[in-house]
Structures are given as structure tokens and as C-alpha cells.
């Protein structure tokens, strides 16, 4: 019996490894075809991977959300709206302004910042390697990217919530008390550099990552922040209700890494109040948040 079980598991492991090797060969071959298509032009490949691919991911994802925000359809998205009666439909004038600011930040802030990043990646020497990193190594990199981004974002976000910087910089982002996806990069240029771009760029620069890893990471980062601002608690996706509450009350709340355990404040507590003197940022659970503003009843 034990021998039969061992043989069965050995066959399963070999089958899984075979599938894994096939996928790896497919992606390696696809990358080489792409590499030779551009004749190994590293600057072009870098722009496509670090700028074009993430931008397409961002605008395709947010394009779907904007259709729902403007038309109220499809219902399988709008039924999960967090703040009822807000952005139903979205103010088209405000939406156009948000799109213009987002495009400005992408073209005139993020894009120029890729120039020094390109030089750093060239210095590492393996960013444009013909051999792709293994999936296991990419998972290691992704973990490092996430930790670095969370730490840097946490402290830069705290910084722009200081009264003087909030008034002149971060208040622009909080003009949207009921955010939508594109608002994720609707920010003052200084904030876009400090909180939106540098935390995401630092990880790959520290790790000397391959351009394919950079493209995937940048795309994931943009989609993730869009989800946290989208205004919908969609099934199978992380809940943005915590961050939505942050925009509604502009309390000092952050869902993510914290050097000390988060403390939960009373619903509707004043900005900066907390049940712990060590933690000034407010942690608000979904249940607490729903006592402050109405939330669309969940289906099922």
C-alpha cells in the first residue's frame, strides 16, 4: 500500500515537473523572440517593459472600472459599490481632471525617472540577460519588492500627512472622498515621486532584476493600488474598504506594513486619535467602517 502511494506520488511529481518545464521553455522562447525582434536594443526593451506594459495594464484595468463609474453598468461590478450614492454616476468633469493628472504623472514624472533607473540596471548587468530568471527566484524578488515598497510607502505616506505637507501636497489626492481606480495616481508631483514611484522602483534597483520581472512587478503594483482606490469591494479581490474609509474621513490609516501593532480607534474618531499612544494611525475594520457610511449589501 505504502509502495503504491509512493509510486503514484512520484508519477504526479514528474508530471507536474514536466508541465513546469514546458511552461518555462515557452516563456524562455517567447522572451528570446521578443529580444531578437528589437535586436537587443536595451533602451527600447527597457521602455517597453518598464513603461508601456505597466501603462497598458493600468489603463485597461481602469478603463473597465471607468465604464462602470460613468454608465453604472455592468451590474456585476456596480452592485459592489462601497459608498452608496457616490460616483453614481461619477462627475465627468472631475473624472477628466483625474485622467489628465494621471497621464501627466505618468509621462512627465514616472517616465523621466526611468532614465536614471536604466543606468542603474545597466550597471548590474543582468537586467537584459537572454536567460529569464526562474519562477522561484521571481517569487523571492517579489517578496523583497513588496517589503521594500510597503516600508517606503508607509513612511512617505506618513510624511505627507504632516499638517504642512498635507495642506500643500497630499490634500490634492484627498480631494476624492469617494475614490475611483484612476485616482490611485491622482497626486501632486512631489507625492507621485516620493510615495507612488520611488517605493516601487527601489526593489528592482536593489535586486538588479531582469526587465521581465520589472514589467510584471510594475504592472502588479499599479493594478493593486487601483484596486485599493476603485470604490468597489469586488469578489476574489482584496477589500478596498479600509482605504476607502481613509479617503472618506482622511484619518491616518494605512493597510499594510507597520513597525508596531496597529490599534483600532473608535468609528469616526478624529484624525490622529488612537487607542494606543504608540500608534497614531487609525486601524478601522470593515464592520466599524460600515457603521460610519452605508455599504452595499453583499450578494449571497
Amino acid at each position: 500500500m505504502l509502495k503504491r502511494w509512493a509510486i503514484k506520488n512520484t508519477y504526479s511529481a514528474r508530471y507536474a515537473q514536466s508541465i513546469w518545464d514546458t511552461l518555462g521553455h515557452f516563456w524562455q522562447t517567447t522572451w528570446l523572440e521578443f529580444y531578437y525582434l528589437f535586436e537587443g536594443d536595451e533602451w527600447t526593451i527597457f521602455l517597453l517593459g518598464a513603461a508601456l506594459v505597466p501603462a497598458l495594464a493600468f489603463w485597461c484595468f481602469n478603463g473597465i472600472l471607468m465604464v462602470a463609474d460613468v454608465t453604472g453598468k455592468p451590474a456585476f461590478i456596480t452592485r459592489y459599490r462601497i459608498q452608496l450614492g457616490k460616483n453614481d454616476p461619477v462627475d465627468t468633469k472631475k473624472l477628466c481632471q483625474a485622467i489628465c493628472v494621471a497621464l501627466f504623472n505618468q509621462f512627465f514624472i514616472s517616465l523621466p525617472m526611468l532614465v536614471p533607473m536604466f543606468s542603474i540596471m545597466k550597471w548590474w548587468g543582468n537586467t537584459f540577460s537572454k536567460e529569464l530568471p526562474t519562477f522561484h527566484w521571481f517569487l523571492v524578488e517579489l517578496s523583497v519588492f513588496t517589503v521594500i515598497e510597503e516600508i517606503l510607502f508607509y513612511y512617505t505616506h506618513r510624511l505627507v500627512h504632516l499638517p504642512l505637507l498635507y495642506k500643500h501636497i497630499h490634500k490634492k489626492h484627498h480631494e476624492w472622498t469617494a475614490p475611483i481606480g484612476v485616482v490611485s495616481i491622482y497626486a501632486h508631483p512631489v507625492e507621485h515621486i516620493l510615495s507612488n514611484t520611488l517605493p516601487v522602483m527601489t526593489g528592482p534597483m536593489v535586486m538588479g532584476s531582469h526587465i521581465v520581472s520589472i514589467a510584471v512587478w510594475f504592472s502588479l503594483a499599479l493594478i493593486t493600488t487601483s484596486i485599493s482606490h476603485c470604490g468597489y469591494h469586488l469578489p476574489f479581490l482584496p477589500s478596498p474598504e479600509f482605504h476607502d474609509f481613509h479617503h472618506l474621513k482622511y484619518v491616518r490609516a494605512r493597510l499594510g506594513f507597520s513597525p508596531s501593532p496597529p490599534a483600532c480607534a473608535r468609528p469616526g474618531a478624529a484624525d490622529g486619535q488612537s487607542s494606543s499612544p504608540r500608534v497614531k494611525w487609525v486601524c478601522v475594520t470593515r464592520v466599524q467602517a460600515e457603521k460610519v457610511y452605508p455599504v452595499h449589501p453583499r450578494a449571497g
Side-chain angles (χ1 to χ4, degrees), residues 51-69 74 77 99 102-103 106 181-182 184-185 218-219 222-224 226-227 230 234 237:
L52 182 61
V53 171
L56 287 174
F58 177 83
W59 288 108
C60 287
F61 182 76
N62 280 287
I64 296 171
L65 294 176
M66 282 189 283
V67 169
D69 292 330
I77 292 179
I99 292 172
L103 288 170
Q106 284 186 318
V182 73
S184 56
I185 56 173
F218 281 8
S219 301
L222 283 169
I223 291 175
T224 300
S226 296
I227 291 172
C230 72
L234 299 171
L237 292 179

Side-chain angles (χ1 to χ4, degrees), residues 113-188:
M113 291 179 69
L114 292 178
V115 176
M117 183 182 181
F118 175 73
S119 300
I120 293 172
M121 304 317 293
K122 284 270 290 180
W123 176 78
W124 273 100
N126 61 348
T127 297
F128 306 99
S129 169
K130 293 180 183 179
E131 184 178 352
L132 288 177
T134 65
F135 183 68
H136 299 86
W137 176 247
F138 172 69
L139 292 180
V140 172
E141 287 187 310
L142 192 61
S143 301
V144 175
F145 298 164
T146 303
V147 171
I148 291 175
E149 190 274 337
E150 284 291 303
I151 293 173
L152 292 180
F153 179 84
Y154 176 84
Y155 285 106
T156 55
H157 194 206
R158 284 194 69 160
L159 182 67
V160 295
H161 265 277
L162 294 174
L164 182 63
L165 295 181
Y166 180 88
K167 179 180 179 181
H168 296 287
I169 295 176
H170 192 47
K171 188 175 181 179
K172 182 178 184 68
H173 182 66
H174 276 273
E175 289 173 3
W176 286 77
T177 54
I180 59 175
V182 73
V183 171
S184 56
I185 56 173
Y186 176 80
H188 188 282

Side-chain angles (χ1 to χ4, degrees), residues 222-245:
L222 283 169
I223 291 175
T224 300
T225 190
S226 296
I227 291 172
S228 70
H229 288 85
C230 72
Y232 303 101
H233 185 176
L234 299 171
F236 310 112
L237 292 179
S239 171
E241 292 178 9
F242 190 89
H243 196 78
D244 215 85
F245 185 84

Side-chain angles (χ1 to χ4, degrees), residues 31 34 38 41-57 111 114 117-118 121 127-128 200 204 209-220 222:
W31 161 245
F34 177 83
F38 292 95
D41 185 341
E42 294 179 349
W43 174 242
T44 301
I45 292 171
F46 185 74
L47 278 182
L48 291 173
L52 182 61
V53 171
L56 287 174
L111 194 58
L114 292 178
M117 183 182 181
F118 175 73
M121 304 317 293
T127 297
F128 306 99
V200 177
S209 302
H210 195 278
I211 183 58
V212 171
S213 299
I214 294 172
V216 174
W217 164 241
F218 281 8
S219 301
L220 285 175
L222 283 169

